Amino acid sequence: MLLKRPITTLFKKQNQQWQPIANSILCRYYQQQQSRYYSNTSDSCAASTANPLYPERPIGYIDLVREKVPYDAGLQIQTYLVNRRHAINKQKQQEQKEYKGEDPEDIIIFLQHPPTYTAGRRIRGRTELEEEQRLRRLGADYYETMRGGQITYHGPGQLIAYPILDVRDYQINVRCYVSRLEKTIIDCCKEFGIEANTTDNTGVWVGQDAKIAALGVHLQRYVSSHGVALNCNVDLKWYQHIVPCGLADKRVTSLTDQVKKEITPQQTLPVLAHSFQKLFGVPVQPVQPNGTLMREVNSILMAASSS
């Protein structure tokens, strides 16, 4: 984020005659900073890969796919990682030097959730209590979230990827970040022989009517959370109880449904990680299994399981 303090503290409140000059300087400063950021961003988002500022700096990933991580625990892990990324940014700004921690700055969490319905910002706070109770009676959890989009389903057989990264380091704005995630899923599907694409509706599709991956992101001070959900061998019957993403005339599909053989999230993870590497232009590698980051994540999971 752009900071006002370094400039505004030069002008004391008692020196009212300087206020117009201060405002003018601030305005020009903000315009220059925003221009510098967006001038390095592809307006069309057409580039095949991102143009990272630090192509040698890896994204780390956390593999929780073999566990069914409760949705609220997943939110807690994301909150921890977002706060961690903001703290790293603050430290770098204060010390004017690069981060030298044992784990990468940017992290992707790969996991599965137990059966869960989530409502995005478009309908947050507007779901009828009766509808929420109906979905819970099916044996699923229900949450309202800060991601974009409407109501969708997460559950076993679906590979979730939550990237926690600062989009400025990849010289892409929010719109192009979403486009980059879509292209990552499309590339992953191609590795399984599936021609996926985007449409006028959000997410990634096979043709115009079969949705294979949902997408919803949230950015806070340039740091992303939430992400993508790719259907691998998910039980598609769960979608019969909702109108996925508010699209009544569309259907949901999966990797398994498309290729007519079982493809699990465990099989898909290394392929999707490689697609992230290709499309974001940096190495993608596992975090240290016994490092500080994994210890913090495991403590969140333990606390969630005991509550």
Side-chain angles (χ1 to χ4, degrees):
M1 292 295 288
L2 304 179
L3 301 177
K4 297 182 180 179
R5 177 173 252 175
I7 295 180
T8 54
T9 50
L10 297 175
F11 300 92
K12 305 298 182 183
K13 289 184 179 180
Q14 60 267 32
N15 295 330
Q16 296 297 325
Q17 69 271 24
W18 290 103
Q19 200 61 45
I21 300 175
N23 291 338
S24 177
I25 292 174
L26 278 171
C27 182
R28 287 199 300 271
Y29 176 75
Y30 295 152
Q31 290 173 346
Q32 289 170 0
Q33 292 297 312
Q34 295 290 350
S35 176
R36 184 180 306 165
Y37 172 57
Y38 285 108
S39 65
N40 292 323
T41 303
S42 170
D43 289 335
S44 65
C45 306
S48 60
T49 58
N51 183 26
L53 290 172
Y54 312 100
E56 75 290 344
R57 196 172 71 191
I59 296 174
Y61 74 80
I62 297 172
D63 178 2
L64 301 176
V65 171
R66 285 172 175 77
E67 304 182 44
K68 303 298 186 296
V69 179
Y71 193 80
D72 54 352
L75 289 176
Q76 291 174 45
I77 293 171
Q78 290 183 78
T79 298
Y80 162 72
L81 291 173
V82 168
N83 290 339
R84 170 184 176 269
R85 191 61 168 92
H86 284 148
I88 290 171
N89 286 349
K90 184 176 181 180
Q91 177 186 341
K92 289 165 61 177
Q93 184 180 55
Q94 290 175 341
E95 299 180 2
Q96 295 296 304
K97 62 181 182 182
E98 285 300 304
Y99 169 74
K100 298 295 183 182
E102 63 178 353
D103 289 302
E105 298 173 45
D106 292 331
I107 301 293
I108 303 172
I109 316 160
F110 291 112
L111 51 74
Q112 296 183 77
H113 288 307
T116 306
Y117 291 103
T118 66
R121 288 193 301 268
R122 291 187 189 179
I123 60 172
R124 192 166 181 259
R126 292 185 292 172
T127 305
E128 295 289 341
L129 179 59
E130 182 178 337
E131 175 69 359
E132 177 182 337
Q133 292 173 340
R134 180 184 72 84
L135 295 175
R136 289 186 182 277
R137 284 195 297 269
L138 297 172
D141 292 329
Y142 177 88
Y143 291 92
E144 294 186 339
T145 75
M146 288 303 295
R147 64 162 174 79
Q150 300 189 34
I151 192 164
T152 193
Y153 169 77
H154 299 307
Q158 188 182 67
L159 179 58
I160 308 288
Y162 292 140
I164 313 297
L165 52 84
D166 191 320
V167 297
R168 294 173 297 182
D169 288 348
Y170 303 88
Q171 302 191 90
I172 49 178
N173 58 25
V174 177
R175 183 171 63 84
C176 291
Y177 170 61
V178 170
S179 175
R180 188 68 47 206
L181 292 178
E182 292 170 340
K183 289 179 172 69
T184 299
I185 295 295
I186 290 170
D187 184 80
C188 178
C189 289
K190 189 173 183 179
E191 292 298 316
F192 291 100
I194 300 169
E195 292 297 324
N197 52 265
T198 57
T199 70
D200 292 337
N201 298 304
T202 60
V204 175
W205 300 73
V206 178
Q208 296 295 307
D209 298 318
K211 191 170 190 174
I212 198 165
L215 190 151
V217 303
H218 178 65
L219 270 80
Q220 180 184 6
R221 287 180 286 161
Y222 301 108
V223 175
S224 64
S225 59
H226 297 280
V228 299
L230 174 59
N231 292 337
C232 300
N233 60 341
V234 64
D235 184 355
L236 298 176
K237 293 178 181 177
W238 285 98
Y239 290 96
Q240 296 174 3
H241 304 286
I242 58 172
V243 179
C245 302
L247 301 172
D249 59 339
K250 308 296 182 182
R251 69 182 186 91
V252 180
T253 187
S254 67
L255 298 177
T256 296
D257 182 45
Q258 289 294 313
V259 302
K260 307 306 179 187
K261 70 175 183 179
E262 195 82 0
I263 299 178
T264 67
Q266 289 89 342
Q267 292 172 281
T268 308
L269 190 155
V271 181
L272 184 55
H274 184 64
S275 293
F276 268 103
Q277 180 168 291
K278 288 168 62 178
L279 272 297
F280 282 80
V282 299
V284 175
Q285 61 191 41
V287 302
Q288 297 184 38
N290 300 314
T292 303
L293 186 58
M294 275 308 304
R295 288 198 297 270
E296 291 291 338
V297 170
N298 285 330
S299 68
I300 293 173
L301 291 174
M302 289 178 62
S305 64
S306 62
S307 61

